[in-house]
Amino acid sequence: MGSLTTHVLDTAQGKPGNGIAVELYALQPQPTLVKRVLTNGNGRTDEPLLDSAAFSKGQWELRFHIAEYFTAAGVAQAAPPFLDTISIRFAMAADEHYHVPLLVSPWSYSTYRGS
């Protein structure tokens, strides 16, 4: 059954990203906020963003509110911050598990389809 999870790693401080606001949007037929959560002490959400009952194929977007996180953590940033909100658009085309991790610093980020 399909599901969606995420986690955030703070590569600047070498630890999980705790307390990061994450929003999930369904993009069809128009962008619609589906869920807003905060990451926990392990940089993960306490539950899947989508479980098998809510899962659907299509275009999705995750928005990670990174500037707020680094400001609260006291990490030096540019003013205004170079990265504010990171948006990752992706498609879920099969009824299976999707994991979208984010590795982030105040100056860069990367993502991939995890397991």
Side-chain angles (χ1 to χ4, degrees):
M1 298 292 246
S3 62
L4 174 64
T5 57
T6 190
H7 78 273
V8 182
L9 297 176
D10 175 345
T11 59
Q13 300 183 89
K15 64 181 190 175
N18 181 18
I20 296 173
V22 179
E23 297 169 338
L24 174 66
Y25 288 82
L27 296 179
Q28 294 144 342
Q30 62 189 24
T32 304
L33 179 63
V34 174
K35 189 174 253 189
R36 187 176 201 277
V37 297
L38 293 176
T39 56
N40 61 25
N42 291 319
R44 298 177 181 276
T45 58
D46 289 331
E47 59 188 38
L49 295 168
L50 292 174
D51 59 18
S52 59
F55 182 87
S56 67
K57 298 175 186 176
Q59 299 286 328
W60 295 86
E61 180 177 359
L62 284 168
R63 294 182 189 170
F64 299 86
H65 294 269
I66 296 304
E68 294 171 5
Y69 163 76
F70 283 118
T71 297
V75 175
Q77 302 178 81
F82 179 68
L83 295 173
D84 183 8
T85 302
I86 296 171
S87 297
I88 301 172
R89 288 188 171 198
F90 59 97
M92 295 190 294
D95 190 16
E96 54 194 36
H97 177 68
Y98 288 80
H99 182 69
V100 182
L102 178 68
L103 287 71
V104 67
S105 80
W107 308 104
S108 67
Y109 68 93
S110 65
T111 190
Y112 56 94
R113 181 176 174 190
S115 57

